[in-house]
């Protein structure tokens, strides 16, 4: 489950171990271990048309399925669009 930060954060802190992360400047928290690929899938990104940066490092697509979100991670996703 991915939840945007809100008023119930204090309540949830007592119930489960929560990891906070940011995605493109928005703060979220999760109560389970999720990989980068699961985050991309959850937010409906087309993984063939994006670049993913985790904590200021660009991550290769081959590692997305084995790299887990940690507490206070910072993700930036840049999508590639064509035009002319």
């Amino acid at each position: 489950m991915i939840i945007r930060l809100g008023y119930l954060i204090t309540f949830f802190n007592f119930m489960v171990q929560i990891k906070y992360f940011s995605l493109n400047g928005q703060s979220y928290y999760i109560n389970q271990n999720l990989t980068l690929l699961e985050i991309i899938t959850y937010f409906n990104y087309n993984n063939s048309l994006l670049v993913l940066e985790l904590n200021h490092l660009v991550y290769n697509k081959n590692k997305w399925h084995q790299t887990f979100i940690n507490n206070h991670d910072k993700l930036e996703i840049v999508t590639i669009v064509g035009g002319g």
Side-chain angles (χ1 to χ4, degrees):
M1 176 196 309
I2 299 173
I3 303 171
R4 194 152 176 214
L5 286 178
Y7 296 107
L8 297 179
I9 190 71
T10 304
F11 172 76
F12 285 113
N13 267 328
F14 291 110
M15 304 217 26
V16 294
Q17 180 64 24
I18 294 177
K19 296 177 188 175
Y20 300 89
F21 71 97
S22 68
L23 172 62
N24 294 342
Q26 294 289 327
S27 296
Y28 297 91
Y29 60 92
I30 54 178
N31 62 356
Q32 58 191 356
N33 289 326
L34 294 177
T35 65
L36 296 177
L37 184 58
E38 290 170 321
I39 295 289
I40 292 166
T41 302
Y42 180 85
F43 285 101
N44 294 317
Y45 282 102
N46 182 342
N47 64 7
S48 64
L49 299 174
L50 64 84
V51 175
L52 188 143
E53 179 184 289
L54 174 63
N55 299 325
H56 308 289
L57 297 173
V58 175
Y59 264 70
N60 187 310
K61 288 182 184 181
N62 297 334
K63 296 184 179 183
W64 291 355
H65 71 283
Q66 64 189 19
T67 304
F68 287 89
I69 298 294
N70 293 307
N71 200 24
H72 300 293
D73 275 350
K74 181 179 179 185
L75 286 104
E76 295 290 333
I77 295 178
V78 178
T79 57
I80 301 168
V81 294

